Amino acid sequence: MARQLKLGAVLMGVGGPGQHDVWTHPEIPGDASVDVDWYIARARQAEAALFDLVFIVDSAYITPDSPPHYLARLEPFTLLSALAVTTTHIGLVGTVSTSYNSPFNLARRFASLDVISRGRAGWNVVATGDGGTAANFGLDEHYDHPTRYARALESVRVCQGLWDSYEDDAFPRDVETGVFVDPSRLHRLDHEGEHFRVRGPLNLIRSPQGHPVIFQAGNSEEGRDLGAAVGEGIFTHQATIEEGVAFAEDIRRRAAAKGRDPQHVRILPGVEPIVADTDAEAREIEDRRRNDRDFARDLAQFGRPFGWHDFGRYDLDAPFPDVTHLGHNNFGSQTATIVRVAREEGLTLRQTVRRFSGPAPSPFVGAAETVADRIQEWFEAGALDGLNIHVTVPSAFARFTDEVLPILRNRGVVRTAYEASTLRGNLGLPVPPNVHTAARAQAARLSA
């Protein structure tokens, strides 16, 4: 079967970073981020358009300057479980941190979502960047960058081991013989690592897709290595087609070096396409979004990657301040980029805030055919395997699903029907073999 574009819907309620005023739109309830019916409606809208997944972003730390959607939103496991019983095919992906959750609980909760949804769960693995989160979990200091990523890798490996606790034929449930479980098909993990000790086994069976699909987003060296080691879907953002190709090639090269099949990695950048009747009208909408912004809010939120540093203390029209000592233990790759660009281009603080706040100019803006052309160009060049569409205003999302996707569907770029009932099946990813079943089969072959 020919390669086809994969699609995710990022459900952002009343608006995430750079979307201060989205909540004022007449189509969006002021409580959209805590209204389960809003999420259900958007998930069904995406499923009707044959999307692969919905994606719930999350974090556990806020300030009064956080984006509207961040200030009050539903916890991912609870929300995705509600979506699981109100949809049938679309994947259910949630962001959950390895920095402030134990692997056993993570494994159990994701496995439960996977069983409830009959194989549609996915985990966006994050090593928490917001340093303030530590205080919410009784710690005086945030984990440093290397520790966060080491914990993340070990946590995923522990979860994968726990998900194989039961072999797929462990439960005969034979009423006549009275045998409910075959104990020889149940396996303890007995993990002892640098950061975790977990005995196991997990008290839950595998779903039809074996394991939840692992997603990852991170552009630092540690982030790229983690994605290459465990990521089956990579969330990213690249400004140009050349950068997209370079990023995809780098991730696949790293994955191959770690012994993985690089073709089992899906690159899914996050985008917010703007579709209008003409290219000019779409660009006008984009220009208004960038120009009609509240600078005071942008300035307040600008401090987040720098550990919520207060940039209001500086002269806005002086050169960008020396803050190289900030942010390395929060969102390090993002702060490094900001500092580098500000220095290279001699930007003032005001210019830097404007440059890095709000949406950057997007290639996916224009009339429906223009947007379809650009998506196909990026896809065929290998800059992406799919798109994560940011969803707020329903009618704007409908312009993409109802006008752009039919063009791509007619060109054979997008599916005409779901291929499978699991997230792995629709993403074209293999079911991980149970390690214990595989070892048993290998032993049988050697003794034959």
Side-chain angles (χ1 to χ4, degrees):
M1 182 177 177
R3 175 171 169 261
Q4 289 189 317
L5 186 79
K6 304 305 177 184
L7 294 166
V10 188
L11 306 185
M12 296 297 288
V14 293
Q19 298 176 322
H20 309 303
D21 300 323
V22 164
W23 65 274
T24 65
H25 194 283
E27 289 185 40
I28 299 181
D31 63 350
S33 293
V34 294
D35 180 1
V36 70
D37 291 329
W38 184 89
Y39 288 99
I40 291 171
R42 300 291 75 73
R44 287 175 169 171
Q45 187 180 1
E47 187 169 65
L50 305 178
F51 270 54
D52 293 84
L53 59 95
V54 294
F55 174 36
I56 305 301
V57 299
D58 193 48
S59 62
Y61 177 73
I62 59 170
T63 77
D65 295 316
S66 295
H69 177 61
Y70 286 25
L71 292 172
R73 55 181 167 179
L74 298 173
E75 185 276 325
F77 285 113
T78 311
L79 173 56
L80 290 170
S81 294
L83 298 184
V85 297
T86 52
T87 57
T88 58
H89 284 77
I90 198 163
L92 307 163
V93 181
T95 294
V96 184
S97 171
T98 56
S99 301
Y100 297 103
N101 287 283
S102 71
F104 189 90
N105 277 338
L106 286 171
R108 191 180 187 202
R109 290 166 183 164
F110 271 113
S112 295
L113 176 62
D114 212 21
V115 170
I116 289 170
S117 64
R118 295 178 174 84
R120 293 187 282 137
W123 174 17
N124 179 40
V125 177
V126 297
T128 294
D130 269 321
T133 311
N136 289 339
F137 290 86
L139 299 181
D140 294 329
E141 293 185 1
H142 190 37
Y143 296 112
D144 62 37
H145 203 262
T147 300
R148 294 203 309 272
Y149 279 93
R151 284 174 60 92
L153 178 59
E154 187 176 340
S155 184
V156 172
R157 295 304 189 204
V158 170
C159 287
Q160 290 171 328
L162 289 169
W163 290 331
D164 280 355
S165 293
Y166 282 113
E167 296 183 54
D168 292 336
D169 59 352
F171 286 90
R173 300 185 180 94
D174 189 325
V175 175
E176 291 185 4
T177 63
V179 176
F180 184 74
V181 65
D182 179 350
S184 72
R185 262 57 172 176
L186 173 60
H187 304 273
R188 272 174 39 182
L189 183 63
D190 290 323
H191 171 85
E192 292 196 18
E194 181 181 359
H195 301 283
F196 304 107
R197 287 189 312 175
V198 182
R199 178 177 177 179
L202 186 68
N203 54 339
L204 193 59
I205 60 173
R206 297 191 350 152
S207 83
Q209 68 172 357
H211 294 175
V213 179
I214 300 296
F215 294 83
Q216 191 273 337
N219 201 36
S220 66
E221 283 297 306
E222 294 92 340
R224 292 189 184 211
D225 273 344
L226 177 62
V230 301
E232 297 168 289
I234 305 294
F235 297 143
T236 182
H237 172 75
Q238 307 300 327
T240 68
I241 194 169
E242 293 79 14
E243 291 177 6
V245 170
F247 177 84
E249 290 177 347
D250 180 55
I251 290 293
R252 291 198 166 94
R253 183 169 53 250
R254 293 178 191 232
K258 295 178 184 297
R260 298 183 60 205
D261 185 339
Q263 299 310 310
H264 292 163
V265 179
R266 303 287 176 262
I267 309 296
L268 303 163
V271 300
E272 188 176 0
I274 299 175
V275 185
D277 293 340
T278 66
D279 291 356
E281 182 182 340
R283 288 296 174 187
E284 287 176 7
I285 294 171
E286 182 181 48
D287 289 343
R288 284 199 301 272
R289 288 184 182 180
R290 287 193 60 79
N291 295 329
D292 297 344
R293 298 182 58 79
D294 186 328
F295 183 81
R297 290 182 180 176
D298 284 343
L299 180 64
Q301 287 191 21
F302 184 77
R304 184 191 181 206
F306 295 90
W308 288 104
H309 183 64
D310 179 15
F311 282 90
R313 69 179 69 175
Y314 303 105
D315 181 350
L316 291 173
D317 297 308
F320 187 73
D322 181 7
V323 290
T324 53
H325 60 294
L326 299 173
H328 65 277
N329 200 32
N330 292 272
F331 298 91
S333 61
Q334 184 179 353
T335 58
T337 298
I338 292 171
V339 170
R340 176 181 56 79
V341 171
R343 283 180 172 175
E344 289 176 352
E345 300 186 16
L347 302 179
T348 65
L349 173 57
R350 187 190 305 275
Q351 290 169 327
T352 307
V353 171
R354 284 178 172 163
R355 168 73 68 87
F356 289 98
S357 298
S362 169
F364 309 116
V365 174
E369 189 156 358
T370 298
V371 174
D373 289 344
R374 293 292 78 73
I375 291 172
Q376 186 172 359
E377 179 185 12
W378 281 56
F379 178 64
E380 292 179 348
L384 51 80
D385 298 305
L387 295 171
N388 247 355
I389 308 296
H390 287 247
V391 179
T392 51
V393 179
S395 62
F397 184 41
R399 293 210 70 163
F400 179 79
T401 61
D402 298 351
E403 299 178 34
V404 177
L405 289 189
I407 297 172
L408 293 172
R409 207 160 270 135
N410 288 337
R411 298 175 184 178
V413 176
V414 177
R415 65 165 58 93
T416 57
Y418 282 113
E419 298 85 10
S421 60
T422 67
L423 178 55
R424 285 186 179 278
N426 287 317
L427 289 175
L429 297 172
V431 173
N434 184 293
V435 294
H436 305 291
T437 303
R440 187 188 298 275
Q442 175 70 4
R445 285 193 296 270
L446 293 175
S447 63

Short mmCIF file of all heavy atoms in Angstrom, two decimals, residues 148-200:
data_model
loop_
_atom_site.label_atom_id
_atom_site.label_comp_id
_atom_site.label_asym_id
_atom_site.label_seq_id
_atom_site.Cartn_x
_atom_site.Cartn_y
_atom_site.Cartn_z
N ARG A 148 16.47 14.14 33.91
CA ARG A 148 15.10 14.04 33.39
C ARG A 148 15.04 13.07 32.20
O ARG A 148 14.12 12.24 32.12
CB ARG A 148 14.57 15.42 32.97
CG ARG A 148 14.40 16.39 34.10
CD ARG A 148 13.40 17.48 33.78
NE ARG A 148 13.63 18.16 32.53
CZ ARG A 148 14.40 19.22 32.37
NH1 ARG A 148 15.09 19.70 33.40
NH2 ARG A 148 14.51 19.81 31.20
N TYR A 149 15.98 13.18 31.31
CA TYR A 149 15.93 12.32 30.12
C TYR A 149 16.34 10.88 30.44
O TYR A 149 15.81 9.94 29.83
CB TYR A 149 16.77 12.92 29.00
CG TYR A 149 15.99 13.99 28.27
CD1 TYR A 149 16.09 15.33 28.64
CD2 TYR A 149 15.09 13.66 27.26
CE1 TYR A 149 15.33 16.31 28.01
CE2 TYR A 149 14.33 14.62 26.62
CZ TYR A 149 14.46 15.95 26.99
OH TYR A 149 13.69 16.90 26.37
N ALA A 150 17.24 10.70 31.38
CA ALA A 150 17.58 9.34 31.80
C ALA A 150 16.39 8.67 32.47
O ALA A 150 16.09 7.49 32.24
CB ALA A 150 18.78 9.37 32.75
N ARG A 151 15.68 9.42 33.32
CA ARG A 151 14.47 8.89 33.95
C ARG A 151 13.42 8.56 32.89
O ARG A 151 12.71 7.56 32.99
CB ARG A 151 13.89 9.91 34.93
CG ARG A 151 14.62 10.02 36.26
CD ARG A 151 14.05 11.16 37.09
NE ARG A 151 12.64 10.95 37.38
CZ ARG A 151 12.15 10.32 38.46
NH1 ARG A 151 13.00 9.85 39.36
NH2 ARG A 151 10.87 10.19 38.65
N ALA A 152 13.30 9.41 31.88
CA ALA A 152 12.30 9.19 30.84
C ALA A 152 12.56 7.88 30.11
O ALA A 152 11.63 7.06 29.91
CB ALA A 152 12.29 10.36 29.86
N LEU A 153 13.80 7.65 29.69
CA LEU A 153 14.12 6.42 28.97
C LEU A 153 13.89 5.20 29.84
O LEU A 153 13.26 4.23 29.41
CB LEU A 153 15.57 6.47 28.49
CG LEU A 153 16.06 5.22 27.75
CD1 LEU A 153 15.20 4.93 26.52
CD2 LEU A 153 17.52 5.36 27.36
N GLU A 154 14.36 5.26 31.09
CA GLU A 154 14.18 4.10 31.97
C GLU A 154 12.71 3.87 32.26
O GLU A 154 12.24 2.71 32.31
CB GLU A 154 14.96 4.31 33.27
CG GLU A 154 14.94 3.09 34.16
CD GLU A 154 15.79 3.26 35.41
OE1 GLU A 154 16.68 4.14 35.43
OE2 GLU A 154 15.55 2.51 36.39
N SER A 155 11.94 4.94 32.43
CA SER A 155 10.52 4.81 32.72
C SER A 155 9.80 4.11 31.57
O SER A 155 8.97 3.21 31.79
CB SER A 155 9.91 6.19 32.96
OG SER A 155 8.55 6.07 33.33
N VAL A 156 10.10 4.50 30.34
CA VAL A 156 9.46 3.85 29.18
C VAL A 156 9.83 2.38 29.13
O VAL A 156 8.97 1.51 28.90
CB VAL A 156 9.85 4.56 27.88
CG1 VAL A 156 9.36 3.76 26.66
CG2 VAL A 156 9.28 5.97 27.83
N ARG A 157 11.10 2.06 29.36
CA ARG A 157 11.52 0.66 29.32
C ARG A 157 10.83 -0.16 30.39
O ARG A 157 10.44 -1.32 30.15
CB ARG A 157 13.04 0.57 29.49
CG ARG A 157 13.86 1.19 28.36
CD ARG A 157 13.50 0.60 27.02
NE ARG A 157 14.41 1.04 25.96
CZ ARG A 157 14.11 1.07 24.69
NH1 ARG A 157 12.89 0.69 24.29
NH2 ARG A 157 14.99 1.46 23.78
N VAL A 158 10.66 0.42 31.57
CA VAL A 158 9.94 -0.29 32.64
C VAL A 158 8.49 -0.54 32.22
O VAL A 158 7.96 -1.65 32.38
CB VAL A 158 10.00 0.50 33.95
CG1 VAL A 158 9.05 -0.11 34.99
CG2 VAL A 158 11.42 0.52 34.50
N CYS A 159 7.84 0.49 31.69
CA CYS A 159 6.45 0.33 31.26
C CYS A 159 6.33 -0.75 30.18
O CYS A 159 5.41 -1.59 30.23
CB CYS A 159 5.90 1.66 30.75
SG CYS A 159 5.57 2.87 32.05
N GLN A 160 7.22 -0.73 29.21
CA GLN A 160 7.16 -1.73 28.16
C GLN A 160 7.33 -3.13 28.73
O GLN A 160 6.67 -4.08 28.29
CB GLN A 160 8.23 -1.43 27.10
CG GLN A 160 7.92 -0.19 26.28
CD GLN A 160 9.07 0.23 25.38
OE1 GLN A 160 10.25 0.03 25.72
NE2 GLN A 160 8.75 0.82 24.25
N GLY A 161 8.21 -3.27 29.72
CA GLY A 161 8.36 -4.57 30.36
C GLY A 161 7.11 -4.99 31.10
O GLY A 161 6.69 -6.16 31.04
N LEU A 162 6.51 -4.06 31.82
CA LEU A 162 5.28 -4.36 32.55
C LEU A 162 4.13 -4.71 31.62
O LEU A 162 3.29 -5.56 31.94
CB LEU A 162 4.90 -3.18 33.44
CG LEU A 162 5.80 -2.94 34.66
CD1 LEU A 162 5.49 -1.60 35.31
CD2 LEU A 162 5.64 -4.06 35.68
N TRP A 163 4.06 -4.06 30.46
CA TRP A 163 2.98 -4.36 29.51
C TRP A 163 3.07 -5.79 28.96
O TRP A 163 2.11 -6.30 28.40
CB TRP A 163 3.00 -3.35 28.36
CG TRP A 163 2.57 -1.98 28.79
CD1 TRP A 163 1.70 -1.65 29.79
CD2 TRP A 163 3.00 -0.72 28.23
NE1 TRP A 163 1.56 -0.29 29.89
CE2 TRP A 163 2.35 0.31 28.96
CE3 TRP A 163 3.88 -0.37 27.19
CZ2 TRP A 163 2.53 1.67 28.66
CZ3 TRP A 163 4.07 0.97 26.91
CH2 TRP A 163 3.40 1.99 27.63
N ASP A 164 4.22 -6.42 29.14
CA ASP A 164 4.37 -7.82 28.72
C ASP A 164 4.23 -8.79 29.89
O ASP A 164 4.62 -9.96 29.78
CB ASP A 164 5.74 -8.02 28.06
CG ASP A 164 5.77 -7.54 26.61
OD1 ASP A 164 4.71 -7.14 26.10
OD2 ASP A 164 6.86 -7.56 26.00
N SER A 165 3.67 -8.34 31.01
CA SER A 165 3.55 -9.22 32.18
C SER A 165 2.79 -10.49 31.86
O SER A 165 3.18 -11.59 32.28
CB SER A 165 2.87 -8.47 33.33
OG SER A 165 3.67 -7.42 33.81
N TYR A 166 1.68 -10.36 31.14
CA TYR A 166 0.88 -11.52 30.75
C TYR A 166 1.14 -11.83 29.27
O TYR A 166 1.07 -10.93 28.42
CB TYR A 166 -0.61 -11.24 30.90
CG TYR A 166 -1.14 -11.33 32.32
CD1 TYR A 166 -1.61 -10.19 32.96
CD2 TYR A 166 -1.21 -12.55 32.98
CE1 TYR A 166 -2.12 -10.26 34.25
CE2 TYR A 166 -1.72 -12.63 34.27
CZ TYR A 166 -2.17 -11.48 34.90
OH TYR A 166 -2.68 -11.55 36.17
N GLU A 167 1.42 -13.08 28.98
CA GLU A 167 1.42 -13.49 27.58
C GLU A 167 -0.02 -13.51 27.08
O GLU A 167 -0.98 -13.56 27.86
CB GLU A 167 2.07 -14.86 27.43
CG GLU A 167 3.54 -14.86 27.81
CD GLU A 167 4.20 -16.21 27.59
OE1 GLU A 167 4.11 -16.73 26.46
OE2 GLU A 167 4.81 -16.74 28.54
N ASP A 168 -0.18 -13.44 25.77
CA ASP A 168 -1.52 -13.26 25.22
C ASP A 168 -2.45 -14.44 25.47
O ASP A 168 -3.67 -14.30 25.41
CB ASP A 168 -1.43 -12.97 23.72
CG ASP A 168 -0.79 -11.61 23.44
OD1 ASP A 168 -0.84 -10.74 24.34
OD2 ASP A 168 -0.23 -11.43 22.35
N ASP A 169 -1.90 -15.63 25.76
CA ASP A 169 -2.74 -16.81 26.02
C ASP A 169 -2.76 -17.16 27.50
O ASP A 169 -2.98 -18.31 27.88
CB ASP A 169 -2.26 -18.01 25.20
CG ASP A 169 -0.80 -18.38 25.51
OD1 ASP A 169 -0.14 -17.62 26.25
OD2 ASP A 169 -0.33 -19.42 25.02
N ALA A 170 -2.54 -16.17 28.35
CA ALA A 170 -2.41 -16.43 29.80
C ALA A 170 -3.73 -16.77 30.47
O ALA A 170 -3.75 -17.36 31.55
CB ALA A 170 -1.78 -15.24 30.50
N PHE A 171 -4.85 -16.40 29.85
CA PHE A 171 -6.15 -16.58 30.50
C PHE A 171 -7.02 -17.56 29.70
O PHE A 171 -7.79 -17.16 28.83
CB PHE A 171 -6.87 -15.24 30.63
CG PHE A 171 -6.30 -14.35 31.69
CD1 PHE A 171 -5.29 -13.45 31.39
CD2 PHE A 171 -6.77 -14.42 33.00
CE1 PHE A 171 -4.75 -12.64 32.38
CE2 PHE A 171 -6.24 -13.61 33.99
CZ PHE A 171 -5.23 -12.72 33.68
N PRO A 172 -6.95 -18.87 30.01
CA PRO A 172 -7.83 -19.81 29.33
C PRO A 172 -9.31 -19.60 29.69
O PRO A 172 -10.20 -19.84 28.86
CB PRO A 172 -7.35 -21.18 29.80
CG PRO A 172 -6.23 -20.95 30.72
CD PRO A 172 -6.00 -19.48 30.89
N ARG A 173 -9.55 -19.17 30.93
CA ARG A 173 -10.92 -18.96 31.43
C ARG A 173 -11.82 -20.16 31.07
O ARG A 173 -12.93 -20.02 30.55
CB ARG A 173 -11.51 -17.67 30.86
CG ARG A 173 -10.73 -16.41 31.24
CD ARG A 173 -11.43 -15.15 30.76
NE ARG A 173 -10.70 -13.94 31.10
CZ ARG A 173 -9.84 -13.31 30.30
NH1 ARG A 173 -9.60 -13.81 29.10
NH2 ARG A 173 -9.22 -12.22 30.68
N ASP A 174 -11.30 -21.33 31.37
CA ASP A 174 -11.97 -22.59 31.02
C ASP A 174 -12.89 -23.02 32.17
O ASP A 174 -12.42 -23.46 33.22
CB ASP A 174 -10.91 -23.66 30.73
CG ASP A 174 -11.51 -24.92 30.14
OD1 ASP A 174 -12.64 -25.29 30.52
OD2 ASP A 174 -10.85 -25.54 29.29
N VAL A 175 -14.18 -22.88 31.97
CA VAL A 175 -15.14 -23.19 33.03
C VAL A 175 -15.13 -24.68 33.35
O VAL A 175 -15.22 -25.09 34.52
CB VAL A 175 -16.55 -22.73 32.60
CG1 VAL A 175 -17.59 -23.17 33.63
CG2 VAL A 175 -16.59 -21.23 32.41
N GLU A 176 -15.00 -25.53 32.34
CA GLU A 176 -15.05 -26.97 32.58
C GLU A 176 -13.90 -27.46 33.44
O GLU A 176 -14.08 -28.31 34.31
CB GLU A 176 -15.06 -27.72 31.23
CG GLU A 176 -16.34 -27.51 30.44
CD GLU A 176 -16.36 -28.36 29.18
OE1 GLU A 176 -15.41 -29.15 28.97
OE2 GLU A 176 -17.32 -28.24 28.40
N THR A 177 -12.70 -26.94 33.20
CA THR A 177 -11.54 -27.38 33.99
C THR A 177 -11.32 -26.51 35.23
O THR A 177 -10.50 -26.85 36.08
CB THR A 177 -10.27 -27.34 33.13
OG1 THR A 177 -10.01 -25.99 32.72
CG2 THR A 177 -10.43 -28.23 31.90
N GLY A 178 -11.99 -25.39 35.28
CA GLY A 178 -11.82 -24.48 36.41
C GLY A 178 -10.52 -23.69 36.36
O GLY A 178 -10.10 -23.11 37.36
N VAL A 179 -9.89 -23.64 35.18
CA VAL A 179 -8.62 -22.92 35.04
C VAL A 179 -8.90 -21.51 34.51
O VAL A 179 -9.35 -21.34 33.37
CB VAL A 179 -7.65 -23.65 34.09
CG1 VAL A 179 -6.38 -22.82 33.89
CG2 VAL A 179 -7.31 -25.02 34.65
N PHE A 180 -8.65 -20.52 35.35
CA PHE A 180 -8.86 -19.14 34.94
C PHE A 180 -7.60 -18.54 34.32
O PHE A 180 -7.66 -17.87 33.29
CB PHE A 180 -9.29 -18.29 36.14
CG PHE A 180 -9.62 -16.86 35.80
CD1 PHE A 180 -10.80 -16.54 35.15
CD2 PHE A 180 -8.73 -15.84 36.12
CE1 PHE A 180 -11.10 -15.23 34.82
CE2 PHE A 180 -9.02 -14.52 35.80
CZ PHE A 180 -10.21 -14.21 35.15
N VAL A 181 -6.45 -18.79 34.95
CA VAL A 181 -5.19 -18.23 34.47
C VAL A 181 -4.12 -19.31 34.46
O VAL A 181 -4.10 -20.20 35.31
CB VAL A 181 -4.73 -17.04 35.34
CG1 VAL A 181 -4.41 -17.48 36.76
CG2 VAL A 181 -3.53 -16.33 34.73
N ASP A 182 -3.24 -19.25 33.49
CA ASP A 182 -2.08 -20.14 33.41
C ASP A 182 -0.90 -19.39 34.04
O ASP A 182 -0.36 -18.46 33.42
CB ASP A 182 -1.79 -20.48 31.95
CG ASP A 182 -0.57 -21.39 31.80
OD1 ASP A 182 0.15 -21.61 32.80
OD2 ASP A 182 -0.33 -21.86 30.67
N PRO A 183 -0.50 -19.74 35.25
CA PRO A 183 0.54 -18.97 35.94
C PRO A 183 1.89 -18.99 35.22
O PRO A 183 2.72 -18.11 35.45
CB PRO A 183 0.63 -19.62 37.31
CG PRO A 183 0.00 -20.96 37.15
CD PRO A 183 -1.03 -20.84 36.09
N SER A 184 2.12 -19.97 34.35
CA SER A 184 3.39 -20.01 33.62
C SER A 184 3.46 -18.91 32.57
O SER A 184 4.53 -18.65 32.01
CB SER A 184 3.59 -21.38 32.95
OG SER A 184 2.70 -21.55 31.85
N ARG A 185 2.31 -18.28 32.29
CA ARG A 185 2.26 -17.18 31.31
C ARG A 185 2.23 -15.81 31.98
O ARG A 185 1.97 -14.80 31.35
CB ARG A 185 1.02 -17.32 30.43
CG ARG A 185 1.22 -17.98 29.08
CD ARG A 185 1.80 -19.36 29.14
NE ARG A 185 1.78 -19.99 27.80
CZ ARG A 185 2.30 -21.18 27.53
NH1 ARG A 185 2.88 -21.89 28.48
NH2 ARG A 185 2.25 -21.66 26.29
N LEU A 186 2.49 -15.79 33.28
CA LEU A 186 2.55 -14.53 34.04
C LEU A 186 3.99 -14.31 34.51
O LEU A 186 4.62 -15.22 35.06
CB LEU A 186 1.62 -14.60 35.25
CG LEU A 186 1.68 -13.43 36.25
CD1 LEU A 186 1.32 -12.12 35.58
CD2 LEU A 186 0.75 -13.71 37.43
N HIS A 187 4.52 -13.10 34.28
CA HIS A 187 5.95 -12.87 34.50
C HIS A 187 6.20 -11.60 35.31
O HIS A 187 5.66 -10.54 34.99
CB HIS A 187 6.68 -12.76 33.16
CG HIS A 187 6.48 -13.93 32.28
ND1 HIS A 187 7.27 -15.07 32.33
CD2 HIS A 187 5.54 -14.17 31.31
CE1 HIS A 187 6.84 -15.95 31.43
NE2 HIS A 187 5.79 -15.43 30.80
N ARG A 188 7.04 -11.74 36.34
CA ARG A 188 7.50 -10.59 37.10
C ARG A 188 8.57 -9.85 36.31
O ARG A 188 9.29 -10.44 35.51
CB ARG A 188 8.09 -11.03 38.44
CG ARG A 188 7.05 -11.13 39.52
CD ARG A 188 7.56 -11.70 40.81
NE ARG A 188 8.90 -11.27 41.21
CZ ARG A 188 9.50 -11.73 42.31
NH1 ARG A 188 8.87 -12.58 43.10
NH2 ARG A 188 10.71 -11.32 42.63
N LEU A 189 8.68 -8.55 36.57
CA LEU A 189 9.69 -7.76 35.88
C LEU A 189 11.02 -7.75 36.64
O LEU A 189 12.09 -7.91 36.05
CB LEU A 189 9.18 -6.32 35.69
CG LEU A 189 10.09 -5.38 34.91
CD1 LEU A 189 10.27 -5.86 33.48
CD2 LEU A 189 9.53 -3.95 34.92
N ASP A 190 10.94 -7.51 37.95
CA ASP A 190 12.14 -7.45 38.79
C ASP A 190 13.18 -6.48 38.23
O ASP A 190 14.36 -6.82 38.07
CB ASP A 190 12.75 -8.85 38.97
CG ASP A 190 11.88 -9.74 39.84
OD1 ASP A 190 11.28 -9.22 40.82
OD2 ASP A 190 11.77 -10.95 39.56
N HIS A 191 12.72 -5.27 37.96
CA HIS A 191 13.62 -4.26 37.42
C HIS A 191 14.34 -3.52 38.54
O HIS A 191 13.72 -3.07 39.51
CB HIS A 191 12.82 -3.24 36.58
CG HIS A 191 13.64 -2.04 36.17
ND1 HIS A 191 14.42 -2.05 35.04
CD2 HIS A 191 13.80 -0.81 36.74
CE1 HIS A 191 15.03 -0.87 34.92
NE2 HIS A 191 14.66 -0.10 35.93
N GLU A 192 15.64 -3.38 38.42
CA GLU A 192 16.44 -2.55 39.32
C GLU A 192 17.35 -1.70 38.46
O GLU A 192 18.32 -2.19 37.88
CB GLU A 192 17.25 -3.41 40.30
CG GLU A 192 16.38 -4.14 41.31
CD GLU A 192 17.18 -4.67 42.48
OE1 GLU A 192 18.31 -4.18 42.68
OE2 GLU A 192 16.65 -5.54 43.19
N GLY A 193 17.03 -0.41 38.37
CA GLY A 193 17.79 0.48 37.51
C GLY A 193 18.36 1.65 38.26
O GLY A 193 18.37 1.69 39.50
N GLU A 194 18.83 2.63 37.50
CA GLU A 194 19.45 3.81 38.11
C GLU A 194 18.43 4.65 38.86
O GLU A 194 18.75 5.24 39.90
CB GLU A 194 20.12 4.64 37.02
CG GLU A 194 20.82 5.89 37.53
CD GLU A 194 21.46 6.71 36.43
OE1 GLU A 194 21.36 6.31 35.24
OE2 GLU A 194 22.04 7.77 36.74
N HIS A 195 17.20 4.72 38.36
CA HIS A 195 16.21 5.62 38.94
C HIS A 195 15.00 4.89 39.54
O HIS A 195 14.28 5.48 40.35
CB HIS A 195 15.72 6.60 37.88
CG HIS A 195 16.81 7.43 37.29
ND1 HIS A 195 17.36 8.51 37.95
CD2 HIS A 195 17.48 7.33 36.11
CE1 HIS A 195 18.31 9.05 37.20
NE2 HIS A 195 18.41 8.36 36.09
N PHE A 196 14.76 3.64 39.15
CA PHE A 196 13.54 2.96 39.58
C PHE A 196 13.83 1.51 39.96
O PHE A 196 14.69 0.85 39.37
CB PHE A 196 12.48 2.97 38.45
CG PHE A 196 12.15 4.34 37.94
CD1 PHE A 196 12.59 4.76 36.69
CD2 PHE A 196 11.39 5.23 38.70
CE1 PHE A 196 12.28 6.02 36.22
CE2 PHE A 196 11.07 6.48 38.24
CZ PHE A 196 11.52 6.89 36.99
N ARG A 197 13.07 1.03 40.94
CA ARG A 197 13.01 -0.39 41.26
C ARG A 197 11.54 -0.81 41.17
O ARG A 197 10.71 -0.25 41.89
CB ARG A 197 13.53 -0.68 42.65
CG ARG A 197 15.04 -0.58 42.80
CD ARG A 197 15.48 -1.08 44.15
NE ARG A 197 14.66 -0.51 45.23
CZ ARG A 197 14.77 -0.85 46.49
NH1 ARG A 197 15.63 -1.77 46.86
NH2 ARG A 197 14.00 -0.29 47.41
N VAL A 198 11.23 -1.73 40.30
CA VAL A 198 9.84 -2.14 40.08
C VAL A 198 9.79 -3.66 39.99
O VAL A 198 10.42 -4.26 39.11
CB VAL A 198 9.27 -1.52 38.78
CG1 VAL A 198 7.82 -1.93 38.61
CG2 VAL A 198 9.41 0.00 38.80
N ARG A 199 9.03 -4.26 40.87
CA ARG A 199 8.97 -5.73 40.89
C ARG A 199 8.01 -6.28 39.84
O ARG A 199 8.35 -7.17 39.10
CB ARG A 199 8.53 -6.20 42.29
CG ARG A 199 8.40 -7.70 42.39
CD ARG A 199 8.03 -8.13 43.80
NE ARG A 199 7.84 -9.57 43.88
CZ ARG A 199 7.55 -10.22 45.00
NH1 ARG A 199 7.41 -9.55 46.13
NH2 ARG A 199 7.39 -11.52 45.00
N GLY A 200 6.76 -5.76 39.79
CA GLY A 200 5.78 -6.33 38.89
C GLY A 200 5.24 -7.63 39.46
O GLY A 200 5.61 -8.03 40.57
#
